[in-house]
Amino acid sequence: MADKTKEAGGVHFPFPFTPYAIQKDFMAALYQVLEAGKIGIFESPTGTGKSLSLICGALSWLRDFEQKKREEEERLLEAGADPLNDGKDQAPCPPPSCQESPGSPRAAGEPDWVTQFVQKKEERDLVDRLKEEQVRRKKREERLQQIRHNVPLKFAAKRMRQEDEETERLLRLSREMLAAGTGPEQLAWGEEELVLAEYESDKEKGSTSGVDADEDDLEEEHVTKIYYCSRTHSQLAQFVHEVQKSPFGKDTRLVSLGSRQNLCVNEDVRKLGSVQLINDRCVELQRSKHEKKNIVEEEKPGRRRRLEPRATCPFYSHKQLQLLRDEVLVEVKDIEQLVALGKEARACPYYGSRFAIPAAQLVVLPYQMLLHAAARQAAGIRLQGQVVVIDEAHNLIDTITGIHSVEVSGSQLCQAHSQLLQYTERYGKRLKAKNLMYIKQILYLLEKFVTVLGGNIKQNPNTQSLSQAGTELKTISDFLFQSQIDNINLFKVQRYCEKSMVSRKLLGFTERYGAVLAPSREQPKLSGFQHFLQSLQPGATAAPAAPAEEGEDRAPRPASPLMHIEGFLAALTTANQDGRVILSRQGSLSQSSLKFLLLNPAVHFAQVVKECRAVVLAGGTMQPVSDLREQLLACAGVQAERVVEFSCGHVIPADNILPLVICSGPSNQQLEFTYQKRELPQMMDETGRILCNLCNVVPGGVVCFFPSYEYQRQVHAHWDKSGLLARLAVRKKIFQEPKRVNQVEQVLLEYSRCVKHCGQAGGTVTGALMLSVVGGKMSEGINFSDNLGRCVVMVGMPFPSVRSAELQEKMAYLDQTLPRAPGQVPPGKALVENLCMKAVNQSIGRAIRHQKDFASIVLLDQRYARPPILAKLPAWIRDRVQVKATFGPAFAALRKFHREKSGSS
């Protein structure tokens, strides 16, 4: 594609082809938001080239920003090069810190010569910093140019890798030789690392970064950059491919971040499978590498203690990571390309990509890594003065709430208690007093958490029935009092867990010996420990597992329940007024749970908007945006004048879409799918008759969305019994959205084949009907373009269940905290409406996917005709909606629309 430069708002935007007018407007508005340091809410419907507009608009701003910064640096350096003599020379633009203020020493009566001396020193320091930064930048550019053109560097790196592999092989042989001859009173080989180190202080200390001292040059100063985040791995990969195709693809330093599960190239670690196991094993391998260097220092003269060598990761070394970091910055790569490069270079892509962050111009990462403070810190992400673009931001509030809400089951509590008790029995004599004190406190907390659910820590949770059932909601203070743990300092316990890494030690212990659940009351108290001792005997074989009792949960348990419980403790210590604890008692203890619910996500988003230069919230459908403005931005302290809203129309012609609100069916049955009415036989019959009529005039594929899986199942069963399903099948082959994720692709493939085959073959069957669910697998991220989705039908309004304790508490919280203007809907009620309409907007956006596409959108419920509800539809649909009180005129409009469009196409 030709690199065409277009001008919008006085700024030149390189673009791979001639952009639409709305793309020019989008880029100009985005540029102004970044330049002015504001918060932008950008809506651009799918098919309008949103990703390219984001890329070219944001990177054009970054290009100009870097150019201005270099020019300013040159000016300051030239001014700083003048001789500084008697203090009369003044820099043309002293830094803000040099300017006088009421509280400065000058105002306090300091002599002029002191003030001038301080000012001159600050100016010299600024010039020195600029010179250092210039040197670093030139070194980086030279290094990257060298890698682009100097192939021998790669061969030298390959020779070094071969030497490292040979060294690792020799170390492995020595470990095998040392492994023999452990006596019954000694710790087994490798067991040394399972014992907790002495815990000396409750005070906060700086956490170790995990990077060696000789790897300091991997860290650089952070340049101004753009952080782009989205929901899924595939969306991020798609964005990176768009960058590669854009005019900025050759020159942009881009880094793709991901989890260890996606980026690890160590097959021994990857085969562990679960995210938690991979993370824990990786951390252990890095810690082993750093501890190796301290072994010699720990040994005192005259006392030699044999320490077993621990395994380290062969993909984590200074030279390999340095090479990979530079390779990442040389050329734009997605996650798959990064992993392939890591395997080739025998260097860790997970750490290599993180070391590339400081010098990167564009960092692509998942939501969770940016929106969670601990994850940001672990990844080395610094937001100060940077730009953040959050794509697919329509669910941002729910995303932040989900990231910071934690649920632990009764089964996890019992399992963690059993494992920790057996760990203490094994290593108690080797642990220092403070370790034992904190372990006892953790055991006490676990016991009280089980008690508050109505269970007994000493019994099997799967067979333990609870006398009470139902859901109870508590403030954090009330929960602590009811659990009788208000006398324990949770802050110290949580800090102990973090610093001592007790959950990782416990994970290693359970992996090695397979600790079992706590014995039931009828068994001897130490039966679990006796089983553990038997496993240590030479030649012992594990006893066959007892058959699972009827009703026992056979789902695989998490690898480290204590680690999950640590997250619950951390949540209890981070929010008080903004959090609640939900006690869910569901028959058996294993199915019951404790959940921390975050009510105010703005608490965590406030840090992002405070530190960043600018934040952009973008999506194909952002309406309604009132919840983002009020619940998130206003509560995070963002002033209304800092928020800029941009919404563009669709690129499709106005006559390519027919949105209809139908208030009654063919037999004049009023359509109002409330909880009380939607399960009535006459309502389900009327819905079936409407679909039969639609399928007679709509070619290709029809996608019908129901409010829930349960209602879809009820309607399908009713139609099957009444014969309506057979009538529908005359015109369309019927498919249902599967509940299991791994079946979605297969169903979509069969649906697509059916639509294509029927379109070519002719006959009575003209396509397919997909029965889907709002908020399900097919309501977001699936494209029903062209013939796959010529009509989208919404059955009713998918309001969330107001009987939910979580939703009721959230509504009450918003009613108490958000201001309400006279005549306005209460914030709690507005929340319910917004949740409903966001789900509707996502679902109906599945059909129109490009400029030449056409489709009809049918909203079956008279409540859609209400002005407040219509106002929450996307602008490109809202402006074209036709409200039909009866079915006849609606059907006539649909028949005419599809006859004309099918004929013209």
Side-chain angles (χ1 to χ4, degrees):
M1 294 183 199
D3 179 0
K4 300 183 181 182
T5 304
K6 296 292 172 184
E7 187 171 322
V11 180
H12 293 282
F13 297 101
F15 215 77
F17 50 81
T18 304
Y20 303 130
I22 58 175
Q23 288 178 311
K24 294 181 189 177
D25 295 341
F26 186 105
M27 291 187 289
L30 177 63
Y31 191 102
Q32 290 304 314
V33 165
L34 302 187
E35 184 69 14
K38 298 199 171 184
I39 311 294
I41 301 175
F42 281 73
E43 181 179 56
S44 180
T46 303
T48 56
K50 169 172 60 75
S51 295
L52 259 181
S53 301
L54 280 170
I55 291 164
C56 296
L59 290 178
S60 294
W61 171 82
L62 187 62
R63 170 203 64 195
D64 294 348
F65 176 83
E66 289 177 342
Q67 180 62 30
K68 289 175 190 172
K69 187 179 178 185
R70 281 194 291 270
E71 290 172 359
E72 180 67 13
E73 283 178 5
E74 291 296 334
R75 193 174 66 81
L76 288 170
L77 287 171
E78 285 175 13
D82 294 338
L84 300 171
N85 37 39
D86 58 359
K88 294 177 183 177
D89 297 320
Q90 295 293 326
C93 183
S97 58
C98 297
Q99 297 173 2
E100 289 186 7
S101 63
S104 65
R106 180 77 183 90
E110 289 283 3
D112 288 347
W113 67 269
V114 173
T115 305
Q116 289 173 2
F117 176 81
V118 171
Q119 182 175 322
K120 285 297 177 186
K121 185 176 185 307
E122 289 186 358
E123 290 170 10
R124 286 194 297 270
D125 290 345
L126 175 62
V127 170
D128 289 342
R129 284 198 304 274
L130 291 176
K131 285 180 180 177
E132 288 174 10
E133 192 175 323
Q134 221 175 36
V135 169
R136 278 197 301 270
R137 185 167 61 242
K138 285 179 181 177
K139 276 185 180 179
R140 180 177 65 239
E141 289 168 358
E142 288 170 4
R143 195 173 67 236
L144 298 183
Q145 283 297 326
Q146 227 180 359
I147 290 178
R148 282 191 183 99
H149 307 297
N150 195 350
V151 180
L153 278 176
K154 294 187 179 181
F155 287 107
K158 190 173 181 180
R159 284 197 301 273
M160 284 189 294
R161 289 197 300 273
Q162 289 170 343
E163 291 171 7
D164 290 342
E165 287 170 9
E166 179 63 19
T167 305
E168 180 63 26
R169 189 181 69 82
L170 292 172
L171 282 171
R172 193 162 51 247
L173 284 173
S174 67
R175 281 198 295 270
E176 290 169 2
M177 293 171 66
L178 287 167
T182 55
E185 297 302 320
Q186 293 178 305
L187 289 176
W189 177 81
E191 224 180 337
E192 183 85 27
E193 65 187 51
L194 300 180
V195 181
L196 286 162
E198 185 173 357
Y199 186 71
E200 301 203 356
S201 175
D202 290 328
K203 294 181 181 178
E204 286 269 17
K205 291 183 181 177
S207 59
T208 57
S209 64
V211 180
D212 268 342
D214 63 351
E215 293 167 3
D216 284 343
D217 62 336
L218 286 172
E219 287 285 352
E220 296 187 34
E221 196 68 28
H222 283 242
V223 302
T224 301
K225 59 176 60 61
I226 297 163
Y227 287 99
Y228 171 90
C229 62
S230 192
R231 285 185 308 139
T232 64
H233 175 67
S234 59
Q235 286 170 335
L236 294 173
Q238 186 179 347
F239 180 83
V240 173
H241 295 155
E242 291 287 342
V243 175
Q244 290 171 332
K245 292 185 290 185
S246 78
F248 296 90
K250 299 291 183 187
D251 305 319
T252 302
R253 300 189 301 274
L254 181 147
V255 175
S256 293
L257 300 182
S259 65
R260 287 181 173 91
Q261 192 177 36
N262 287 327
L263 289 174
C264 180
V265 291
N266 186 331
E267 289 303 324
D268 290 338
V269 178
R270 280 180 65 86
K271 69 184 181 184
L272 294 173
S274 78
V275 180
Q276 208 169 54
L277 285 173
I278 290 172
N279 287 344
D280 293 339
R281 184 60 181 150
C282 177
V283 171
E284 283 296 325
L285 290 175
Q286 303 327 311
R287 204 155 52 81
S288 299
K289 173 179 171 34
H290 302 309
E291 286 177 357
K292 266 178 154 185
K293 299 188 172 184
N294 300 325
I295 288 176
V296 177
E297 297 173 14
E298 289 176 2
E299 291 180 354
K300 296 179 180 179
R303 282 185 64 192
R304 295 189 61 188
R305 181 167 64 97
R306 180 169 68 86
L307 292 176
E308 306 295 348
R310 300 179 188 175
T312 59
C313 184
F315 295 90
Y316 187 95
S317 80
H318 167 59
K319 291 185 175 65
Q320 292 165 351
L321 288 173
Q322 190 177 39
L323 176 69
L324 185 64
R325 173 200 63 185
D326 295 340
E327 286 279 0
V328 166
L329 295 171
V330 163
E331 187 180 5
V332 174
K333 297 176 183 67
D334 64 16
I335 292 286
E336 282 73 22
Q337 292 166 326
L338 182 57
V339 169
L341 181 63
K343 288 178 179 176
E344 180 190 344
R346 287 193 62 78
C348 176
Y350 178 79
Y351 285 103
S353 60
R354 276 153 179 70
F355 290 133
I357 291 173
Q361 295 168 305
L362 181 57
V363 179
V364 179
L365 69 165
Y367 273 172
Q368 291 80 353
M369 203 173 288
L370 184 123
L371 297 173
H372 197 282
R376 285 201 303 271
Q377 186 179 1
I381 293 168
R382 299 178 192 172
L383 296 182
Q384 193 67 46
Q386 310 293 10
V387 170
V388 164
V389 177
I390 301 175
D391 203 356
E392 300 296 328
H394 56 277
N395 283 331
L396 184 58
I397 292 176
D398 291 339
T399 300
I400 298 173
T401 302
I403 290 171
H404 295 90
S405 296
V406 187
E407 186 171 14
V408 293
S409 68
S411 182
Q412 288 173 320
L413 293 168
C414 289
Q415 192 179 13
H417 186 277
S418 172
Q419 291 175 357
L420 193 57
L421 191 62
Q422 292 178 66
Y423 177 88
T424 311
E425 289 168 343
R426 168 64 178 166
Y427 301 120
K429 292 181 180 178
R430 301 180 65 89
L431 298 178
K432 300 291 183 181
K434 192 156 281 189
N435 275 316
L436 288 171
M437 179 191 75
Y438 277 112
I439 287 175
K440 284 181 180 179
Q441 287 188 4
I442 296 170
L443 288 169
Y444 179 78
L445 287 172
L446 295 173
E447 183 179 348
K448 289 301 179 182
F449 287 158
V450 169
T451 304
V452 82
L453 282 173
N456 189 327
I457 198 71
K458 296 178 182 178
Q459 294 180 1
N460 189 321
N462 298 305
T463 58
Q464 204 175 149
S465 298
L466 302 183
S467 56
Q468 289 182 327
T471 302
E472 197 177 350
L473 199 138
K474 299 279 184 184
T475 64
I476 294 178
S477 299
D478 288 346
F479 171 73
L480 297 180
F481 278 112
Q482 186 176 336
S483 304
Q484 299 177 2
I485 58 172
D486 51 294
N487 59 325
I488 289 183
N489 189 327
L490 291 182
F491 292 91
K492 286 189 175 183
V493 174
Q494 193 261 332
R495 194 180 306 142
Y496 169 78
C497 291
E498 180 186 339
K499 300 293 182 186
S500 69
M501 296 189 289
V502 62
S503 58
R504 291 199 176 98
K505 300 284 188 183
L506 194 59
L507 177 65
F509 172 73
T510 53
E511 277 184 325
R512 190 178 183 98
Y513 298 115
V516 295
L517 281 169
S520 64
R521 183 183 291 172
E522 289 76 14
Q523 295 173 315
K525 188 176 180 182
L526 292 178
S527 63
F529 185 49
Q530 289 166 352
H531 171 83
F532 159 73
L533 290 176
Q534 288 172 5
S535 71
L536 299 181
Q537 296 302 319
T541 56
E549 296 185 36
E550 190 174 349
E552 185 171 340
D553 184 12
R554 292 178 177 82
R557 295 188 178 90
S560 179
L562 184 60
M563 188 170 293
H564 196 62
I565 292 160
E566 283 179 12
F568 182 69
L569 290 176
L572 292 178
T573 58
T574 53
N576 189 6
Q577 298 302 318
D578 302 317
R580 299 289 185 272
V581 178
I582 300 172
L583 289 74
S584 176
R585 302 182 178 94
Q586 305 293 333
S588 73
L589 178 60
S590 62
Q591 295 171 330
S592 302
S593 64
L594 298 173
K595 181 177 181 179
F596 172 82
L597 174 66
L598 179 70
L599 295 176
N600 183 13
V603 172
H604 296 281
F605 196 63
Q607 189 177 359
V608 175
V609 294
K610 182 182 177 182
E611 293 185 4
C612 290
R613 173 195 177 94
V615 177
V616 175
L617 310 180
T621 305
M622 296 296 291
Q623 292 295 333
V625 298
S626 57
D627 54 353
L628 283 174
R629 280 180 168 274
E630 295 165 11
Q631 295 178 40
L632 198 62
L633 300 178
C635 290
V638 178
Q639 299 298 318
E641 56 269 20
R642 195 186 170 197
V643 182
V644 175
E645 194 176 329
F646 176 88
S647 180
C648 62
H650 214 298
V651 291
I652 62 167
D655 59 355
N656 272 24
I657 179 175
L658 178 64
L660 294 172
V661 174
I662 301 180
C663 299
S664 63
S667 64
N668 292 323
Q669 171 72 46
Q670 287 294 309
L671 300 177
E672 190 169 358
F673 293 85
T674 60
Y675 287 112
Q676 294 79 20
K677 295 180 182 178
R678 70 185 189 185
E679 293 178 12
L680 296 174
Q682 59 265 36
M683 191 67 78
M684 292 191 274
D685 287 337
E686 195 77 335
T687 306
R689 283 191 284 268
I690 292 171
L691 276 179
C692 282
N693 281 283
L694 292 182
C695 289
N696 283 332
V697 297
V698 177
V702 176
V703 185
C704 181
F705 286 100
F706 290 88
S708 67
Y709 282 105
E710 178 58 27
Y711 187 57
Q712 182 207 5
R713 186 193 62 76
Q714 286 181 358
V715 171
H716 188 273
H718 181 79
W719 288 350
D720 190 22
K721 188 176 178 181
S722 67
L724 264 167
L725 211 57
R727 286 172 55 192
L728 282 168
V730 172
R731 285 292 182 183
K732 304 288 183 187
K733 186 176 179 182
I734 299 170
F735 294 84
Q736 291 189 76
E737 176 180 321
K739 279 193 173 183
R740 294 184 179 179
V741 178
N742 58 0
Q743 296 174 344
V744 171
E745 192 174 341
Q746 182 62 32
V747 172
L748 281 173
L749 187 62
E750 292 176 10
Y751 172 82
S752 177
R753 282 175 182 165
C754 177
V755 171
K756 186 177 180 181
H757 173 73
C758 294
Q760 296 170 345
T764 57
V765 179
T766 60
L769 171 64
M770 176 70 77
L771 303 179
S772 303
V773 177
V774 175
K777 286 85 180 170
M778 297 185 185
S779 63
E780 290 191 44
I782 303 293
N783 292 344
F784 290 102
S785 58
D786 300 317
N787 272 343
L788 295 181
R790 287 303 181 202
C791 182
V792 173
V793 182
M794 292 293 306
V795 178
M797 298 186 70
F799 284 108
S801 174
V802 291
R803 290 172 290 186
S804 160
E806 294 184 25
L807 184 58
Q808 286 181 353
E809 189 67 20
K810 180 80 172 177
M811 291 169 66
Y813 178 81
L814 292 177
D815 287 338
Q816 291 169 6
T817 55
L818 292 184
R820 178 189 172 189
Q824 262 190 347
V825 176
K829 186 179 178 184
L831 167 71
V832 176
E833 287 184 358
N834 288 347
L835 289 173
C836 169
M837 292 309 296
K838 277 186 181 292
V840 169
N841 293 341
Q842 286 302 311
S843 298
I844 62 181
R846 299 304 93 210
I848 304 293
R849 310 307 288 178
H850 58 83
Q851 187 179 19
K852 295 181 180 178
D853 208 351
F854 69 89
S856 56
I857 295 168
V858 179
L859 306 175
L860 298 182
D861 200 308
Q862 63 182 7
R863 292 175 293 176
Y864 282 113
R866 297 173 185 170
I869 297 297
L870 283 174
K872 295 179 189 291
L873 288 168
W876 61 278
I877 294 174
R878 181 174 64 238
D879 298 340
R880 307 172 192 181
V881 169
Q882 299 178 30
V883 177
K884 303 293 184 182
T886 57
F887 184 72
F891 181 68
L894 277 164
R895 183 169 53 193
K896 181 185 177 185
F897 174 82
H898 285 287
R899 186 178 293 165
E900 290 177 354
K901 289 301 167 187
S902 298
S904 62
S905 63

